[in-house]
Amino acid sequence: MNEIVSPEFKHWLEHSPEARAFILMRESKRLPFSLLAKLLSRALFRDPLLYFVRNYPGGVGIKIREMYYRKKFNKIGQGVILDEGVRIDGPQNISLSDFVWIDKNVHLFTEWGSITIGRRVHVAENVLISGGGHVSIGDYAAIARGASIYSHSE
């Protein structure tokens, strides 16, 4: 990798099993057994659990997601609603203030970088927020359905 990359992105590339597998396959190299075992265990155990957490409907599903992500987010305020189908990559880099509503099928991607969402914000359906740098959404904002917000250009 000769390009100039941020330290966060470089750390993610070095520590993400999926990224390491992709790089090795792209270079036509064999995957080490330990990497295959880690990817297989994720596919068998973590991914089905995440599918259940992400997609369980109704008020029970909202409560399940709140309990699951409470310890994973950098910060999560009170009254936060994470609706069905919300996909979150890098929850340790996400901070949500009080009374935030993340609507159906929103994707928050921040394996490197960060996302901060202020108080009483509604992120409507099918929105993508990608925090390769830092995305900050202020208080009392609304993000329209289908919008895409990027903090990087690559």
Side-chain angles (χ1 to χ4, degrees), residues 99-149:
F99 307 108
V100 171
W101 177 15
I102 307 295
D103 218 326
K104 292 181 171 99
N105 302 316
V106 169
H107 187 174
L108 303 177
F109 178 80
T110 180
E111 290 287 345
W112 63 93
S114 63
I115 296 173
T116 302
I117 299 178
R119 300 185 80 231
R120 297 194 182 273
V121 171
H122 176 219
V123 180
E125 294 180 8
N126 303 314
V127 168
L128 166 67
I129 301 176
S130 181
H134 179 69
V135 173
S136 181
I137 299 168
D139 297 343
Y140 303 97
I143 310 299
R145 181 177 191 218
S148 296
I149 299 173

Side-chain angles (χ1 to χ4, degrees), residues 47-67:
D47 293 348
L49 172 66
L50 279 176
Y51 182 81
F52 172 77
V53 168
R54 286 180 186 148
N55 296 298
Y56 200 87
V60 173
I62 290 170
K63 190 63 178 172
I64 289 170
R65 284 183 285 283
E66 191 246 325
M67 289 177 0

Side-chain angles (χ1 to χ4, degrees), residues 8-137:
E8 295 88 4
F9 182 66
K10 188 173 181 180
H11 180 268
W12 177 77
L13 280 176
E14 292 169 354
H15 292 89
S16 167
E18 291 85 359
R20 287 188 311 200
F22 176 76
I23 290 168
L24 289 171
M25 288 190 300
R26 189 176 65 180
E27 295 171 351
S28 299
K29 295 182 180 176
R30 294 186 65 155
L31 300 180
F33 179 76
S34 60
L35 182 57
L36 282 172
K38 184 174 246 184
L39 292 170
L40 181 63
S41 71
R42 283 185 176 194
L44 291 175
F45 302 110
R46 185 195 73 166
D47 293 348
L49 172 66
L50 279 176
Y51 182 81
F52 172 77
V53 168
R54 286 180 186 148
N55 296 298
Y56 200 87
V60 173
I62 290 170
K63 190 63 178 172
I64 289 170
R65 284 183 285 283
E66 191 246 325
M67 289 177 0
Y68 179 81
Y69 284 113
R70 179 139 317 264
K71 294 187 180 187
K72 297 194 177 291
F73 278 141
N74 182 35
K75 176 189 171 229
I76 186 168
Q78 67 178 4
V80 170
I81 297 173
L82 298 170
D83 224 323
E84 296 171 45
V86 173
R87 178 169 178 152
I88 298 168
D89 295 321
Q92 69 279 3
N93 299 324
I94 297 174
S95 297
L96 303 178
S97 295
D98 298 333
F99 307 108
V100 171
W101 177 15
I102 307 295
D103 218 326
K104 292 181 171 99
N105 302 316
V106 169
H107 187 174
L108 303 177
F109 178 80
T110 180
E111 290 287 345
W112 63 93
S114 63
I115 296 173
T116 302
I117 299 178
R119 300 185 80 231
R120 297 194 182 273
V121 171
H122 176 219
V123 180
E125 294 180 8
N126 303 314
V127 168
L128 166 67
I129 301 176
S130 181
H134 179 69
V135 173
S136 181
I137 299 168

